Amino acid sequence: MSSTGSDVTDIEDVLDEPAREPEPVEERPPARSWRTRADFIAVALIAVVSVVAAVLTWAFSDARATTSVTGPSSWDPLPEVAALPPSLAEVWRAKSGATLSPVVVQTAVKETGEEKPSTAVTGDGGEVNGRDPLTGDVRWTYKRDLPLCVVSTGWGRAMALYSKGTNCSELTSLDGVTGERRAQRNGDAEPGTALLNEGSHLITTGSKYMEVYRRDDLVKSLEYGSLRAIVNPNKQPRVGCAYGSVAVTSGKFAMIERCPDDPSDRISVIKPNPDKSDEPKVISSVLTGAKNAQVVAVTEKLVAVAVPNPSRIVVFDAESGTQVSEAPIDVPAADFVDPPGHVSRAFATKTNVFWFSGSKTIALAHDTLAPLWTAEGTLGAGTTLAGRAIIPVKDGLRVYEQATGELVGTIRVNRDGHTGPVQLATAGPVVLEQRGETLVALR
């Protein structure tokens, strides 16, 4: 109690309040054990689902349907050929429906870097085999549950293109010596395609569409023609064209184009590696003045085209498209049809190019592509052995001097009634003949 006017104020003592009872803490439930019957069932179900998923993935994967049996890392080099053999006899044969011509893998010799033939490759059904050229013994095997479109070679490897539906889309490269799988790529090549190696690129052929792959990693470097999925329109130089025969050389390839607005076939020279794969780089493209034309050969500077009515070889400058020369050839009009796989049936040496028209083989000078001489009644372009040209005919192999066309002789070969085209290659002392779907080795 205080008097009026006092400056002393009553102060509330908060400490006098009774202490509050602490709120009860909610007790945590006891830790749940994961060892109940339900838990074990759940874990088992998860494990089963994972295993089933893994099995299904494997069951439907490409790996399950692939068999790869590799071989040794090196083989003895094939013996050199210094002289022509007096005779040739069959030493082995194998089914090879996926090769358009004999496939021989060239392997670099470590000491010199020189490339020499080492392995003959056959392909049939879904199986690719690397074989000893001397005996035909299988060194390695690569097999898939898909049909082969074509087997070829490039850069010391075998190239196997498989079909997975309506097109030829599965490209696999195999080490030519061991058969080990290397780079793989998915593409969109047409059925009936060939694989052409121009030195640094692999080219697929077709009547409407072509692809180019860069060496080693097989990255696509060019799409040419009617693309299935056009990302950037108006990039192709011409649309609606059909393609005829194709020839390749280092840094370029030449092809016959038949376009709806053109009065005649055109010959186009294409760069295989433009800056952008869907923007082709056309080096030159000119009309030939004729229909049913065939490209015969392309070199660094020139491209030769065979045209009918009248039959002649027309040579163009590969860079400018300017006509350089023209020479008559004795080739029937019936020969002017597109060759199998759209591939010109020709092979080149340092001095000559040999072109098979369908009934004759014409030798052209490599530097001018002018025709030099003609072999009548032939079955293919031929190849070389011991420095001479050997060209298949009905009774065997004719031997010619490359420069003059002088007939040296004929090596008799029994082909068991086969009369169709014969494509040749050599592997050391072995002459390989592609007779339809069969590869035959002669020695």
Side-chain angles (χ1 to χ4, degrees):
M1 183 175 179
S2 63
S3 59
T4 304
S6 170
D7 58 359
V8 178
T9 306
D10 292 334
I11 299 176
E12 181 181 10
D13 188 357
V14 296
L15 297 179
D16 287 343
E17 292 186 0
R20 295 180 180 176
E21 292 290 334
E23 296 182 1
V25 178
E26 183 179 354
E27 293 186 5
R28 294 182 179 179
R32 185 180 185 277
S33 172
W34 289 92
R35 296 182 181 180
T36 66
R37 182 171 179 274
D39 293 332
F40 282 117
I41 292 174
V43 171
L45 286 174
I46 293 172
V48 169
V49 170
S50 299
V51 170
V52 170
V55 170
L56 290 175
T57 300
W58 175 82
F60 291 99
S61 69
D62 290 339
R64 177 190 179 275
T66 300
T67 300
S68 178
V69 180
T70 58
S73 59
S74 64
W75 298 96
D76 293 335
L78 295 171
E80 299 284 349
V81 181
L84 287 168
S87 63
L88 289 169
E90 181 177 325
V91 289
W92 60 269
R93 66 170 54 203
K95 193 75 179 295
S96 190
T99 53
L100 297 176
S101 59
V103 175
V104 180
V105 175
Q106 303 280 344
T107 304
V109 179
K110 292 182 179 180
E111 292 76 12
T112 63
E114 180 184 4
E115 288 192 344
K116 293 187 175 182
S118 64
T119 305
V121 181
T122 58
D124 197 70
E127 182 171 315
V128 184
N129 288 310
R131 299 175 182 270
D132 184 336
L134 300 175
T135 65
D137 293 342
V138 175
R139 293 171 169 174
W140 53 260
T141 297
Y142 182 83
K143 183 178 181 180
R144 296 187 65 179
D145 66 339
L146 299 174
L148 279 163
C149 292
V150 66
V151 174
S152 188
T153 184
W155 321 300
R157 299 178 183 179
M159 300 292 175
L161 184 61
Y162 287 88
S163 175
K164 202 172 185 180
T166 59
N167 57 356
C168 299
S169 59
E170 307 285 306
L171 179 60
T172 299
S173 61
L174 306 166
D175 187 280
V177 176
T178 67
E180 291 179 279
R181 187 178 64 189
R182 301 302 187 190
Q184 290 184 293
R185 191 66 55 182
N186 291 335
D188 202 20
E190 293 181 8
T193 183
L195 291 173
L196 299 177
N197 173 24
E198 59 73 72
S200 298
H201 299 82
L202 198 68
I203 301 166
T204 72
T205 62
S207 59
K208 294 288 187 180
Y209 175 73
M210 300 176 67
E211 294 178 331
V212 180
Y213 295 92
R214 189 177 65 204
R215 66 178 301 176
D216 294 340
D217 52 7
L218 297 182
V219 169
K220 188 181 296 184
S221 63
L222 175 64
E223 296 177 300
Y224 194 90
S226 300
L227 281 63
R228 286 197 180 192
I230 300 177
V231 178
N232 298 311
N234 304 320
K235 298 297 182 181
Q236 295 294 317
R238 283 166 292 279
V239 296
C241 303
Y243 307 138
S245 51
V246 182
V248 302
T249 192
S250 179
K252 59 176 69 74
F253 64 93
M255 59 188 294
I256 297 295
E257 291 191 82
R258 300 180 178 116
C259 303
D261 296 331
D262 289 340
S264 69
D265 294 351
R266 77 171 49 239
I267 178 69
S268 298
V269 180
I270 314 295
K271 185 178 180 181
N273 55 338
D275 294 335
K276 295 182 180 180
S277 63
D278 61 346
E279 295 184 21
K281 169 66 176 177
V282 178
I283 299 172
S284 64
S285 184
V286 295
L287 295 176
T288 63
K291 294 187 177 181
N292 299 321
Q294 285 190 41
V295 60
V296 171
V298 58
T299 66
E300 180 184 357
K301 297 180 179 180
L302 302 172
V303 56
V305 180
V307 297
N309 304 317
S311 299
R312 60 200 187 276
I313 295 289
V314 183
V315 180
F316 299 90
D317 184 287
E319 295 291 330
S320 67
T322 304
Q323 182 174 327
V324 174
S325 65
E326 183 176 317
I329 54 175
D330 184 17
V331 172
D335 282 5
F336 287 88
V337 295
D338 293 333
H342 301 275
V343 180
S344 297
R345 291 169 289 188
F347 83 98
T349 67
K350 292 181 179 180
T351 57
N352 295 73
V353 175
F354 296 88
W355 171 62
F356 176 56
S357 70
S359 65
K360 305 180 181 187
T361 299
I362 299 177
L364 299 92
H366 195 280
D367 56 348
T368 64
L369 296 185
L372 298 175
W373 52 268
T374 300
E376 302 283 344
T378 61
L379 301 177
T383 187
T384 56
L385 187 66
R388 297 233 172 80
I390 57 172
I391 299 176
V393 293
K394 180 180 178 181
D395 299 326
L397 299 171
R398 283 195 205 138
V399 183
Y400 293 89
E401 293 289 355
Q402 289 193 58
T404 64
E406 178 185 354
L407 180 61
V408 176
T410 300
I411 302 174
R412 300 294 175 183
V413 175
N414 179 9
R415 297 197 177 95
D416 298 323
H418 177 81
T419 58
V422 175
Q423 303 299 324
L424 296 184
T426 57
V430 178
V431 176
L432 297 167
E433 290 194 348
Q434 181 84 38
R435 306 175 191 168
E437 295 188 347
T438 302
L439 183 67
V440 180
L442 307 172
R443 188 179 182 188

